[in-house]
Amino acid sequence: MVATNAYVPHAAGYVDNDGPKIVTSRFLHEDSYTLVRALATGGYDGLKDALRRSPAEVAGEVKNAVLLGRGGAGFPAGIKWGFMPPVWPRYLVVNGDESEPGTYKDRLLMERDPHQLIEGCVITCYALGLNQCFLYVRGEMALAQERIAQALNDAYAAGYVGKNILGTDVSIDVVLHWGAGAYIVGEETALIESLEGNPGRPRLKPPFFPAAKGLYLKPTIVNNVETLANLPWLMVNGADKFRSYGSEKSPGTRMLAISGHVNRPGVYEVEQGVVTFRDLFYGEQFCQGIRDGNALKAFVPGGGSAPWFFEDQLDLPIEASEVGSQGSMLGSGAIMVMDETTDIVKACLRLVRFYARESCGKCTPCREGTAWEEKVLQRISDGHGRPEDLDLLLEIGQSISPGDYPVASFISEDLDPVPFPPKQTTICPLGPSSVAPITSAVRRFRSEFEALIPKSELISATAPTVGPDAVEQLEVSK
Amino acid sequence: MTATESTEAATGVPFFLNGKSLTANKGELLIDACERNGVHIPRFCYHERMTPVGMCRMCLVEVDTGRGPALQPSCMLPVTPEMKVQTENEVTQRAQSGVLELFLINHPLDCPVCDKGGECPLQDNAYSYGPGESRFVEEKRHYEKPIPISDLVNLDRERCILCDRCTRFSKEVAGDPLIHFMGRGSETQVNTFPDHPFSSYFSGNTVQICPVGALTASPYRFKARPWDLTATESTAVIDGTGARIALQSSQDELVRVLGVDSEAINWGWLSDKERFGYESANSSSRLTEPLVKTGSGQTSDIGFAPIRWNNALARTAAALGANPERVGVIGGARLSVEAQYAWSKLLSKVALISNVDADLGDGIPADLALGLPRASIAETVAPGSVVVLMAGDPKEELPTLFLRLRHAAVEDGVSIVEITPRRTSLTKHAALSLHPRPGALGSVTEAMANGSFSGTVGGVEGSDLQAAAELLGSDRPVTVILGRANLAESSDFLRDAVQSILTIAPNAKFLPALRRGNLMGAFEMGLAPGFGMGGVPTEGGCSTEQILRAVVGGQIETLLLLGADPLSDFPDRALAAQAFDQVTNLIALDTFLSSSSTLADIVLPAAGFGEVDGSFLNIEGRLSPIQAKVTSKGQSRDDWLIAVGVAASLGADLGFSTLEELRIDLSANVASFSQVDWINLGRGDDGPLLDSTRDWSPEFGERKAVPAVDGYGLALVVDHKLWDLGTLVQNSATLAGLPEKAGLALSRSDFEKLATEEGERVTIETERASANLVVTIDDSCPRGTAHIPFRLPGFDVGELISVSSPVTTIRVAR
């Protein structure tokens, strides 16, 4: 650790650990977001290194590093960069619309080290020969927006962004854009729509793959904040050093945002494929165990859209392909832990309601299906479920995400896991995401749902229909 | 081009549909390729004439492009070689039935009272592909219903399945983005913004393409059930475009008009005037029996008494036959080609009357319409061509043509060069927009032809003239849309402009922008001064203006109106009024009592729209059928039968007594019609494009002097609005209230000299008349011009116009 003048032991979500630090090295400084601090701790050295090399060399370095996208899909950034057809103008769009339930790592990156991100943007633009970058920051993240705006102003003034960067003939503009607050805008094509000034609704891929037809229908690279935050370190330390961390398939580190029933939730930077979920939940330098010494009931390994894991998956290394083959996804690195006291039906309802409320309404299965799922779950939760409702929930899921939905295995059932990703009848993965909590919860905890379904014929006779009136009636008759 | 690509271009793209090996055209969407091969894929959002969006997910099919089978929306997927498609397997069926179940969970099952019931794609698809029963037991979405989103269209939001058809149409096709998606998720709804009603001229199309009963049109709402309707294909006769339509009736009453997708003309779209104008045919004000004037002859004492047809015909014959030189005939554009032929034959061969004009001085001279090289609509909008617009705003005058032009400019790289007195609806899509001062059209185009690009000419910058000249002189095909952009400006300037444009672009073709129904047919049939049947030049004959002057001068004492209303439509109100005051015999053939026919001595009731068989010649010279769908009202008769009756009363035989005989006679006597296959006319195609080449060309003569600019006045620009006080609009119950009130529109700078607030009243004055009008700012008016639309309620701008002045200048004061 570099000596700091103002040490912040544990604040605003970030938790330090002994592992290597690629993107969070500056996080413990109180003034980590300032240009002064950035420059005192090697800020923009990566850019200087990059500018000394040819763009192709820089892009090659990133490709060699096998830097996987940190937004959720985990596609190698270096390969993504190679997809653009020779059409100009082209754009870089940075996806800072972090809104996956449970995820708050990019927020810290933007609030605590905006210069690292800006440096990453400029390096990317240089590597790809772009001179226009749009930094799209989620509408609700006011502090991140303020700090990026200040950092951009400082970086422009200091010559790290703008015309003739550091005296070279490279000119790159970075534009900060604030979202209006919609989960779906985290999806890259919806983000592009929103950036163009339209309602954030996803475009259909194909034909609207951003690398070919993105912003203003021009080739566009959309990268996650954390992905680009890796670049300054990568430029200074090289691809070999980068690959020496983490596993072969997933080199480097990942920021994991842990929330829920652990003793020390927070954002941790961990080596990929080295640390297991058990290490993370129970390790002394990580979460230090489940709260109150309770037993683990379930956990979501990669954001609200990920199918759930259980005790059986605790020894899985935290690495995208391992998690994917076991029936879920590492996604955006948001891990939500549920202990034995959790009301599974409410947890499931809460997640499904999120997707129902955030559905953009563009395509039918998601618009109607998620809302229906929420209604049925709400009804079950209120005690007005019918025995057939559980199968109905799974059937609605089939209309949104047909075929075998990804699920984790569990020993008691002796079933193979269904690997990620799910199939979809929708335009984007939002609809199928709503199926994840239902499939996971209903399969594993069916009895908890059934316990809420009235057994007595008398009650089901008094509530043959549902809706507000029926609820009232029921309450009166009680 | 690689070897595979060249094979694809030659033979198409091979693919497998349900195991069968088939070929698709290159670039063809899967949904179209399947349809063409007899496999229908259900859809809601997909519409052939709009960009696919892949939103409804109804057209999902299982597709394997080599990477394993996956569900794909067939409306967004071009067929690729060796693609394997399953439209009927279990996966596809489950997906389609799942989507339908989701559509239906919130859709009210009010089919028995829904206008769409019986012809509803959602209903049909639910029967064919749906799950049969709903498992949805929660409460459905509720909205206030219906909400009128314009005077013509109602919206039932709970029926809406959010397919994006109406919203896409208004944004993409009509360019009137007035209905939008609002909210998100299951709360998404289609709606208009407060105080921004869906007042598009094309709003009715959204009703036609709505796949459910969410959008309904006021005139048809709760009028009929689809299974009670019978239909026939016909042609819209409201303007010169001649859009193809389907006429539907129930119990011998027209109840609905739908657009028919004609590749050559309207692509399935209609303006609301073409769609809802049928209401006038059902109007109770229709003339149903021949009338004769009673009373003293004083205006205050005019009355009519019914007479028998043979009396009416005899009196008409007597009036026409007495002294041919002293008879003038105005009108004929409302008539079918067959009726125009019958009347033309009667007038020229039997009654020997040569003062005949179907144009009311508000179109373009017959020789320009007939004699200039003609472009078809398809040629005009062909990708990469140049269109010169020298006509009134197409959106107001020829709205379906406007849609084609807009599409051409927005999608197909057609460059529009506008040379109009004020900005039009196409200005924002135009490559160049030139606005010569009224009276300067000739000099501006002359400067373009001469290459004098210094300074400004007639209010147009030299650089714009140069740019326009370069575009016109390029090797791209040039079409001139030629019409009357300003009724307060002499059409002679148009003649000079045509002459100049032909110097710059000698191969330019022309598309006459004739607003008045079948005017092209009337010209072709010889209802024009100086022309006989088939566009053959003849000697003599007076134009409408000359006829009116001759009435005033006493040389003509009998006027026959063939469905025309010169008293309202002739631009110079004073001249028309004086003529009608002085005429001795006035005979009107009409469907309504117009302000002109109200003054007639004899009124002959004609069968109207939807009541006659015949044909229509549109502005490009395409002949398409008009079909009768209902019985004509009362004793009203086909126009051509009336001509036969008048001839009989004159002791002559026109040589035909049935429509078939008439057509044989017509084909025998008019060369351009000799090849017409009357029996199969318009069956399975868009109708033939008739030969319009002539062995003569229009004469241009002396160029007209540019009128001096009156520095104290404003040059008047008078043009048409779609909704006006015309007979058709005013006799259609739902359209009658749509015309806006007449007002004076000025450029911002002229406005600021006169008034401080929009809506203030100002006094306008010419030598003829003065008036008090509300003034507004209109950025489409260049400085120095004043715009007042023709035939709007509140003020008759015809009172200001004098046909003898080349331009009309008004003085405006507070």
Side-chain angles (χ1 to χ4, degrees):
Chain A
M1 270 319 296
V2 181
T4 56
N5 48 12
Y7 185 65
V8 187
H10 173 49
Y14 174 68
V15 186
D16 193 18
N17 72 73
D18 294 342
K21 285 184 185 41
I22 291 179
V23 291
T24 61
S25 63
R26 239 169 254 141
F27 272 33
L28 293 176
H29 295 279
E30 198 177 28
D31 60 350
S32 62
Y33 53 88
T34 61
L35 183 60
V36 176
R37 174 57 58 193
L39 293 179
T41 51
Y44 294 103
D45 285 356
L47 174 61
K48 287 171 196 155
D49 274 10
L51 290 175
R52 275 193 286 273
R53 291 183 254 179
S54 74
E57 277 169 12
V58 175
E61 190 83 54
V62 176
K63 201 170 172 183
N64 285 339
V66 197
L67 172 61
L68 303 184
R70 305 291 201 242
F75 197 79
I79 294 180
K80 195 184 210 176
W81 290 2
F83 283 158
M84 287 198 287
V87 174
W88 272 266
R90 307 162 153 191
Y91 305 102
L92 172 67
V93 172
V94 184
N95 186 343
D97 190 84
E98 178 185 54
S99 25
E100 181 71 20
T103 317
Y104 52 103
K105 59 171 182 86
D106 292 343
R107 176 164 66 85
L108 291 191
L109 279 170
M110 294 187 283
E111 286 177 2
R112 304 204 125 207
D113 201 350
H115 284 287
Q116 179 176 245
L117 173 61
I118 292 166
E119 188 181 355
C121 298
V122 178
I123 293 170
T124 309
C125 286
Y126 175 70
L128 298 172
L130 314 176
N131 39 33
Q132 185 76 62
C133 166
F134 294 93
L135 228 168
Y136 190 106
V137 180
R138 180 176 167 188
E140 291 91 333
M141 294 181 180
L143 184 61
Q145 291 161 7
E146 272 174 38
R147 291 207 169 151
I148 290 176
Q150 183 60 49
L152 262 179
N153 288 340
D154 294 345
Y156 262 99
Y160 296 113
V161 190
K163 276 218 157 50
N164 302 102
I165 293 172
L166 298 173
T168 62
D169 57 358
V170 179
S171 298
I172 294 160
D173 277 317
V174 179
V175 173
L176 173 63
H177 185 91
W178 301 356
Y183 165 68
I184 190 53
V185 172
E187 198 276 341
E188 54 182 3
T189 57
L191 186 145
I192 287 170
E193 280 281 308
S194 172
L195 196 52
E196 287 183 8
N198 302 322
R201 300 178 126 202
R203 297 172 177 174
L204 196 64
K205 299 188 276 190
F208 298 106
F209 286 111
K213 287 180 180 175
L215 186 62
Y216 308 120
L217 298 183
K218 298 294 181 213
T220 303
I221 290 295
V222 185
N223 276 144
N224 172 258
V225 165
E226 188 190 341
T227 315
L228 297 188
N230 274 286
L231 294 181
W233 188 96
L234 179 58
M235 286 300 115
V236 173
N237 297 285
D240 293 340
K241 181 90 184 286
F242 186 83
R243 281 211 314 274
S244 74
Y245 296 128
S247 71
E248 200 183 324
K249 276 187 188 163
S250 302
T253 61
R254 281 213 62 167
M255 292 176 78
L256 300 175
I258 297 110
S259 57
H261 305 153
V262 288
N263 285 323
R264 197 165 62 155
V267 169
Y268 296 82
E269 181 170 3
V270 301
E271 265 189 271
Q272 301 199 84
V274 175
V275 179
T276 64
F277 287 108
R278 190 183 297 279
D279 298 339
L280 187 69
F281 297 162
Y282 296 98
E284 213 26 59
Q285 55 167 320
F286 298 111
C287 298
Q288 300 175 342
I290 310 292
R291 70 169 181 190
D292 303 336
N294 286 342
L296 175 76
K297 194 168 190 178
F299 65 98
V300 185
S305 309
W308 298 358
F309 274 175
F310 312 99
E311 213 162 299
D312 312 71
Q313 284 79 31
L314 268 179
D315 290 313
L316 218 57
I318 302 178
E319 194 272 330
S321 59
E322 293 275 356
V323 173
S325 66
Q326 289 305 308
S328 187
M329 66 163 178
L330 198 48
S332 55
I335 300 171
M336 292 182 275
V337 181
M338 295 178 250
D339 73 4
E340 58 187 325
T341 66
T342 311
D343 182 335
I344 286 297
V345 178
K346 285 225 164 71
C348 181
L349 168 62
R350 189 66 196 79
L351 277 166
V352 170
R353 177 184 293 154
F354 173 83
Y355 292 105
R357 302 286 159 91
E358 290 295 341
S359 167
C360 77
K362 184 170 181 178
C363 67
T364 315
C366 176
R367 179 183 67 234
E368 306 292 345
T370 54
W372 190 7
E373 287 170 343
E374 185 202 341
K375 282 182 171 162
V376 175
L377 276 168
Q378 182 70 58
R379 191 155 49 77
I380 295 172
S381 174
D382 290 346
H384 303 305
R386 304 166 302 161
E388 62 265 38
D389 280 338
L390 294 181
D391 289 333
L392 175 61
L393 276 174
L394 296 175
E395 276 284 303
I396 301 170
Q398 282 294 304
S399 295
I400 303 172
S401 186
D404 290 338
Y405 196 84
V407 281
S409 66
F410 32 100
I411 297 149
S412 54
E413 268 195 11
D414 193 25
L415 284 173
D416 288 334
V418 178
F420 212 75
K423 293 190 171 117
Q424 59 190 54
T425 59
T426 51
I427 294 175
C428 83
L430 191 151
S433 297
S434 73
V435 183
I438 293 175
T439 317
S440 306
V442 172
R443 257 195 77 183
R444 182 71 187 255
F445 305 107
R446 195 176 179 107
S447 59
E448 294 192 26
F449 286 87
E450 282 168 349
L452 287 171
I453 294 174
K455 296 281 180 304
S456 151
E457 278 187 42
L458 184 72
I459 295 178
S460 49
T462 53
T465 53
V466 288
D469 295 349
V471 176
E472 259 169 44
Q473 267 174 24
L474 198 72
E475 273 161 8
V476 169
S477 67
K478 271 185 204 159
Chain B
M1 196 185 261
T2 65
T4 20
E5 277 175 358
S6 57
T7 352
E8 276 170 31
T11 61
V13 187
F15 75 112
F16 295 94
L17 177 57
N18 301 331
K20 237 168 88 182
S21 174
L22 296 165
T23 43
N25 300 326
K26 202 168 187 294
E28 192 173 19
L29 291 172
L30 181 54
I31 197 168
D32 291 335
C34 291
E35 186 83 28
R36 212 166 37 77
N37 286 294
V39 174
H40 176 76
I41 298 176
R43 78 284 306 259
F44 293 110
C45 67
Y46 178 66
H47 189 279
E48 315 79 66
R49 293 292 185 190
M50 295 192 287
T51 316
V53 284
M55 276 171 58
C56 74
R57 317 305 282 178
M58 192 61 226
C59 71
L60 287 174
V61 291
E62 198 180 44
V63 178
D64 187 353
T65 52
R67 285 182 295 179
L71 287 165
Q72 299 262 21
S74 53
C75 71
M76 290 286 280
L77 197 67
V79 180
T80 52
E82 308 306 323
M83 181 184 263
K84 292 183 181 64
V85 185
Q86 292 291 341
T87 63
E88 281 154 15
N89 70 356
E90 213 187 310
V91 175
T92 303
Q93 283 185 6
R94 172 66 184 84
Q96 293 177 345
S97 128
V99 171
L100 262 169
E101 182 181 27
L102 292 172
F103 267 130
L104 292 171
I105 62 171
N106 276 304
H107 188 82
L109 296 180
D110 61 349
C111 309
V113 294
C114 175
D115 278 321
K116 203 77 177 184
E119 55 174 13
C120 173
L122 180 60
Q123 206 176 35
D124 294 348
N125 284 339
Y127 277 116
S128 306
Y129 307 93
E133 272 182 46
S134 178
R135 295 178 289 183
F136 187 75
V137 295
E138 339 295 319
E139 199 167 329
K140 296 192 181 214
R141 274 195 297 262
H142 294 296
Y143 291 111
E144 177 198 343
K145 65 182 283 173
I147 47 171
I149 53 170
S150 76
D151 293 311
L152 298 169
V153 181
N154 298 285
L155 170 63
D156 281 294
R157 284 167 293 174
E158 54 198 11
R159 288 180 188 155
C160 175
I161 58 165
L162 303 164
C163 69
D164 196 25
R165 277 187 173 195
C166 58
T167 42
R168 222 176 336 152
F169 171 84
S170 42
K171 196 170 147 196
E172 195 178 294
V173 180
D176 298 325
L178 294 165
I179 35 173
H180 316 262
F181 284 127
M182 288 171 195
R184 79 178 177 206
S186 66
E187 301 295 308
T188 311
Q189 50 169 293
V190 163
N191 211 331
T192 53
F193 279 105
D195 302 325
H196 286 83
F198 184 35
S199 53
S200 166
Y201 287 165
F202 306 99
S203 63
N205 293 297
T206 62
V207 176
Q208 185 174 341
I209 61 179
C210 181
V212 292
L215 293 167
T216 44
S218 311
Y220 177 73
R221 197 173 160 84
F222 303 138
K223 265 284 170 64
R225 307 301 342 232
W227 51 87
D228 286 334
L229 299 179
T230 52
T232 187
E233 227 179 282
S234 188
T235 304
V237 297
I238 280 154
D239 64 41
T241 322
R244 302 291 292 141
I245 55 174
L247 279 179
Q248 297 185 319
S249 70
S250 170
Q251 300 176 347
D252 206 28
E253 187 185 334
L254 291 179
V255 291
R256 186 163 67 169
V257 167
L258 295 174
V260 170
D261 194 332
S262 145
E263 179 64 36
I265 307 167
N266 54 319
W267 284 9
W269 310 129
L270 293 179
S271 70
D272 288 350
K273 198 170 176 181
E274 289 160 312
R275 187 179 298 275
F276 301 123
Y278 75 85
E279 276 191 310
S280 63
N282 301 332
S283 162
S284 56
S285 325
R286 279 282 303 280
L287 288 168
T288 52
E289 49 195 354
L291 301 174
V292 64
K293 188 157 76 180
T294 58
S296 63
Q298 298 300 311
T299 322
S300 56
D301 187 34
I302 287 179
F304 284 110
I307 55 167
R308 293 167 64 116
W309 260 112
N310 54 355
N311 285 341
L313 292 173
R315 290 171 80 155
T316 305
L320 295 183
N323 201 342
E325 300 89 64
R326 298 181 74 80
V327 179
V329 181
I330 299 175
R334 182 185 57 73
L335 278 51
S336 67
V337 167
E338 287 83 347
Q340 287 162 345
Y341 174 75
W343 276 97
S344 185
K345 189 169 182 183
L346 166 69
L347 296 173
S348 62
K349 303 276 160 46
V350 180
L352 307 177
I353 296 166
S354 63
N355 301 324
V356 183
D357 196 355
D359 178 47
L360 299 184
D362 59 350
I364 59 174
D367 63 328
L368 295 184
L370 288 171
L372 290 167
R374 190 91 53 83
S376 68
I377 293 174
E379 280 176 295
T380 308
V381 298
S385 58
V386 176
V387 171
V388 181
L389 182 72
M390 291 204 303
D393 190 340
K395 194 174 181 176
E396 305 287 350
E397 303 201 346
L398 299 165
T400 33
L401 180 67
F402 164 78
L403 294 184
R404 295 293 306 274
L405 290 170
R406 186 182 177 277
H407 180 92
V410 176
E411 305 287 338
D412 291 341
V414 168
S415 302
I416 294 180
V417 179
E418 211 177 48
I419 313 180
T420 50
R422 55 190 284 267
R423 291 170 63 165
T424 72
S425 307
L426 283 170
T427 303
K428 65 178 165 195
H429 307 297
L432 281 169
S433 201
L434 279 53
H435 305 300
R437 199 175 45 234
L441 182 63
S443 57
V444 163
T445 44
E446 190 177 24
M448 274 166 57
N450 296 343
S452 16
F453 303 137
S454 56
T456 58
V457 181
V460 180
E461 291 290 334
S463 55
D464 283 347
L465 291 175
Q466 185 167 9
E470 276 164 15
L471 255 179
L472 264 66
S474 68
D475 50 8
R476 296 162 66 180
V478 174
T479 304
V480 183
I481 299 181
L482 193 66
R484 193 70 178 277
N486 184 2
L487 297 177
E489 183 181 356
S490 161
S491 64
D492 293 343
F493 298 117
L494 209 56
R495 190 176 293 277
D496 292 347
V498 168
Q499 188 182 14
S500 299
I501 283 182
L502 282 172
T503 338
I504 313 169
N507 296 321
K509 289 187 167 184
F510 294 80
L511 185 66
L514 301 177
R515 179 181 164 274
R516 202 168 285 285
N518 198 6
L519 189 52
M520 190 53 93
F523 285 162
E524 192 73 32
M525 288 300 119
L527 299 176
F531 290 97
M533 289 175 199
V536 180
T538 53
E539 288 301 309
C542 291
S543 70
T544 297
E545 180 191 340
Q546 290 161 335
I547 292 172
L548 293 174
R549 284 189 193 289
V551 174
V552 174
Q555 297 91 346
I556 287 181
E557 54 200 17
T558 300
L559 269 187
L560 169 66
L561 304 177
L562 291 178
D565 181 8
L567 204 49
S568 304
D569 283 331
F570 187 72
D572 185 335
R573 188 68 58 252
L575 175 59
Q578 212 182 343
F580 275 77
D581 211 33
Q582 271 172 253
V583 69
T584 320
N585 290 314
L586 184 62
I587 301 154
L589 177 85
D590 219 331
T591 48
F592 289 96
L593 277 184
S594 65
S595 40
S596 305
S597 46
T598 305
L599 304 174
D601 300 291
I602 299 163
V603 181
L604 306 170
F609 176 69
E611 298 166 0
V612 292
D613 283 317
S615 55
F616 182 91
L617 195 66
N618 81 348
I619 50 174
E620 54 177 343
R622 190 180 297 279
L623 191 71
S624 56
I626 305 170
Q627 307 249 38
K629 187 70 197 74
V630 293
T631 331
S632 55
K633 299 281 173 294
Q635 301 176 34
S636 63
R637 285 189 187 175
D638 279 19
D639 301 286
W640 70 270
L641 265 175
I642 301 175
V644 170
V646 174
S649 296
L650 286 168
D653 180 6
L654 287 182
F656 40 80
S657 56
T658 66
L659 196 65
E660 289 68 36
E661 287 171 7
L662 186 157
R663 286 171 165 176
I664 292 166
D665 196 54
L666 165 57
S667 283
N669 287 311
V670 183
S672 50
F673 282 74
S674 59
Q675 300 301 317
V676 172
D677 175 4
W678 292 102
I679 292 168
N680 294 310
L681 182 63
R683 283 197 190 159
D685 63 19
D686 300 318
L689 207 53
L690 300 186
D691 182 21
S692 62
T693 50
R694 314 283 174 200
D695 51 9
W696 54 270
S697 336
E699 281 167 25
F700 292 110
E702 285 284 300
R703 291 187 79 93
K704 203 168 169 73
V706 181
V709 181
D710 176 353
Y712 297 101
L714 297 170
L716 186 63
V717 177
V718 176
D719 55 14
H720 291 280
K721 299 289 280 180
L722 187 71
W723 306 129
D724 61 9
L725 292 179
T727 311
L728 176 129
V729 173
Q730 288 311 306
N731 285 295
S732 302
T734 21
L735 306 182
L738 293 178
E740 54 195 57
K741 266 184 94 78
L744 172 72
L746 301 177
S747 72
R748 186 169 291 274
S749 63
D750 290 327
F751 174 86
E752 280 164 0
K753 282 180 218 157
L754 279 162
T756 49
E757 234 176 289
E758 284 197 285
E760 268 180 51
R761 294 192 87 89
V762 290
T763 311
I764 54 177
E765 222 175 77
T766 63
E767 293 157 6
R768 288 247 167 127
S770 66
N772 198 256
L773 275 184
V774 165
V775 65
T776 52
I777 301 172
D778 184 349
D779 292 328
S780 66
C781 294
R783 244 175 99 178
T785 60
H787 175 229
I788 305 174
F790 197 65
R791 280 202 87 173
L792 289 191
F795 176 60
D796 183 0
V797 67
E799 286 175 12
L800 304 180
I801 299 172
S802 157
V803 281
S804 48
S805 344
V807 293
T808 306
T809 306
I810 62 169
R811 299 280 170 93
V812 188
R814 272 188 101 161

